[in-house]
Amino acid sequence: VPPGQREKLRPKSTEPLARIDFLEGVRGVLASWVMIGHFLLYLGATTLLKTGGGTLLGKVTFLAVNGETPVYLFMIISGFVICHLIESRGEPYGVYIFRRYVRLFPALACCFVMGLLVSHWQSTALTNLPWGNDVWLVDQAQKSCLHRQYALANILAHIPLVHGLIPPSLLP
């Protein structure tokens, strides 16, 4: 179909987009899973897994802190929801991206500023916890030092929301 004809074939809807409530609910559960996993990691979950991994608590902790699966599922479902949204509204991709940026950037900016403010505290406080020698916590403390060391590059990558596009091989 020629590009000019495609818009004519696509039905334009003036009604509000019907949400896919089930998928929105699944996305909420997956986001909660990741949040709880991070919370458990800050409580020294990797140490718990080494010492009590065979217990029921250890198995639940293992499931909660292994957050790759919920992140991948969240991304896949979000991709479908975004495609559905763009196609059903007939909205150009650039307009969608701009609206999304305007909606997400204020929350990202607040969290980013908070992160900058607590970064110094994070690098010292985490290692001073009773379980401060936990491998994950030590790694987080080192990352917060790197974020401060390369603050300008970090800030410049976050403003246009491209920080996730930078390959790890280019990061210090």
Side-chain angles (χ1 to χ4, degrees):
V1 177
Q5 296 296 318
R6 185 174 181 191
E7 287 74 27
K8 292 178 185 176
L9 297 175
R10 182 183 300 151
K12 299 278 183 183
S13 174
T14 56
E15 298 176 22
L17 177 69
R19 292 172 51 115
I20 305 173
D21 290 334
F22 174 75
L23 290 181
E24 294 294 337
V26 171
R27 288 172 69 207
V29 168
L30 294 170
S32 298
W33 180 351
V34 172
M35 183 186 68
I36 290 167
H38 280 88
F39 180 71
L40 291 172
L41 285 167
Y42 277 104
L43 292 177
T46 37
T47 301
L48 171 67
L49 290 172
K50 288 179 184 173
T51 58
T55 66
L56 178 61
L57 179 60
K59 290 176 183 175
V60 169
T61 302
F62 177 79
L63 183 63
V65 300
N66 285 292
E68 287 182 358
T69 301
V71 169
Y72 293 153
L73 289 173
F74 183 89
M75 293 298 178
I76 291 167
I77 293 170
S78 294
F80 173 79
V81 168
I82 289 168
C83 286
H84 174 72
L85 175 74
I86 290 172
E87 284 297 313
S88 65
R89 285 193 178 165
E91 180 176 63
Y93 184 70
V95 172
Y96 167 78
I97 289 297
F98 177 76
R99 279 190 319 101
R100 188 159 179 87
Y101 180 86
V102 168
R103 184 173 63 86
L104 294 177
F105 187 76
L108 175 79
C110 287
C111 291
F112 189 76
V113 169
M114 289 295 290
L116 287 175
L117 293 175
V118 301
S119 177
H120 180 71
W121 169 82
Q122 179 183 11
S123 59
T124 55
L126 289 178
T127 53
N128 290 332
L129 291 170
W131 54 89
N133 59 353
D134 183 275
V135 176
W136 190 83
L137 289 176
V138 170
D139 183 54
Q140 293 305 303
Q142 291 170 345
K143 283 181 182 176
S144 67
C145 290
L146 277 175
H147 289 311
R148 280 196 317 277
Q149 185 178 354
Y150 297 97
L152 181 61
N154 199 7
I155 291 168
L156 292 176
H158 277 75
I159 289 172
L161 301 177
V162 298
H163 53 282
L165 297 175
I166 301 171
S169 61
L170 296 180
L171 300 174

